Amino acid sequence: DAMVIQNPRYQVTQFGKPVTLSCSQTLNHNVMYWYQQKSSQAPKLLFHYYDKDFNNEADTPDNFQSRRPNTSFCFLDIRSPGLGDAAMYLCATSSRDRGGTDTQYFGPGTRLTVL
Amino acid sequence: GENVEQHPSTLSVQEGDSAVIKCTYSDSASNYFPWYKQELGKRPQLIIDIRSNVGEKKDQRIAVTLNKTAKHFSLHITETQPEDSAVYFCAASKQAGTALIFGKGTTLSVSS
């Protein structure tokens, strides 16, 4: 069942201290997404990679960056976390243009706490 | 851009009753409509999806209907069980593998 893996599952950081969240997948999907989900809200897309092409959502703060060194891995970097960045961060993958379905498969999420 | 409205925000039913959640979307170019179930502290799990070339799809106790003209789609759960209790999100996207725009979610409570 571990097709989309996120590490760590829980992350505590201090205000302003950079943090990196990790996502890996064994599905060989060419699209990887990062969502932010705050309590009692819907997931909100931050950005996604289509292969190596990075697509940033217009309202994603500059504080959030991402890297995708290869097909399997994608990282979310928060350069200077603020209290408002405390949330669940969900990684998802899907297959585009490869005959796969549109289905996005979500990882278990990383819950970020900012002190 | 796309906007997805979801109603109701909370829904309480008795075990065995049916539950219906409705969503509307704004962008007529949207052509893929998944529904996700999210239990507390867990990941969203796809439960059913529908594409714009189909009007209805059913999987055991769960069905989804799509009205492209009116730009709305609905989730129907029959014979509800306590384990159906969760938050349900509808979503829409314009193209395979592109961003999903989520509704705000419906908290379904099934009491026995």
Side-chain angles (χ1 to χ4, degrees):
Chain A
D1 187 49
M3 298 182 291
V4 184
I5 302 162
Q6 290 188 243
N7 286 304
R9 295 291 312 278
Y10 301 90
Q11 176 72 57
V12 180
T13 190
Q14 291 181 336
F15 183 94
K17 185 174 181 181
V19 65
T20 294
L21 310 183
S22 167
C23 177
S24 63
Q25 53 123 342
T26 59
L27 299 163
N28 199 32
H29 282 170
N30 57 350
V31 190
M32 295 186 77
Y33 310 78
W34 279 105
Y35 290 87
Q36 179 192 63
Q37 186 176 27
K38 295 189 176 181
S39 181
S40 301
Q41 296 184 20
K44 179 181 180 298
L45 183 67
L46 296 173
F47 26 58
H48 74 278
Y49 273 96
Y50 172 24
D51 291 325
K52 293 184 178 180
D53 292 335
F54 178 70
N55 298 271
N56 197 31
E57 294 301 299
D59 55 355
T60 298
D62 292 341
N63 196 28
F64 292 88
Q65 305 284 317
S66 187
R67 296 170 284 134
R68 190 179 186 187
N70 53 53
T71 300
S72 301
F73 284 87
C74 195
F75 300 98
L76 169 62
D77 300 308
I78 308 176
R79 293 191 296 185
S80 182
L83 298 178
D85 296 328
M88 176 75 85
Y89 289 89
L90 294 161
C91 173
T93 74
S94 70
S95 178
R96 186 190 300 180
D97 306 328
R98 289 181 179 175
T101 69
D102 308 328
T103 303
Q104 291 193 17
Y105 295 89
F106 283 86
T110 295
R111 181 163 297 284
L112 178 68
T113 300
V114 181
L115 301 177
Chain B
E2 174 66 280
N3 183 48
V4 178
E5 300 277 344
Q6 182 171 348
H7 299 280
S9 57
T10 60
L11 180 60
S12 296
V13 299
Q14 290 286 322
E15 183 177 3
D17 288 349
S18 295
V20 180
I21 303 171
K22 299 182 178 181
C23 288
T24 60
Y25 60 99
S26 59
D27 191 338
S28 56
S30 291
N31 58 12
Y32 174 62
F33 308 94
W35 286 89
Y36 285 85
K37 174 184 179 183
Q38 188 175 30
E39 298 176 13
L40 190 63
K42 296 191 176 180
R43 76 187 80 189
Q45 296 264 23
L46 179 77
I47 55 171
I48 197 166
D49 57 10
I50 193 167
R51 287 167 177 76
S52 58
N53 58 345
V54 175
E56 184 174 358
K57 184 176 178 181
K58 192 172 182 180
D59 182 5
Q60 298 182 340
R61 297 187 296 109
I62 295 172
V64 57
T65 58
L66 171 65
N67 183 326
K68 283 169 45 181
T69 303
K71 289 189 281 189
H72 66 70
F73 56 112
S74 300
L75 177 70
H76 304 254
I77 306 174
T78 58
E79 300 172 25
T80 54
Q81 302 166 3
E83 50 265 40
D84 293 329
S85 297
V87 180
Y88 290 80
F89 292 100
C90 63
S93 74
K94 284 193 282 192
Q95 181 182 339
T98 60
L100 290 174
I101 307 300
F102 284 86
K104 292 189 175 181
T106 296
T107 300
L108 174 65
S109 300
V110 181
S111 52
S112 55

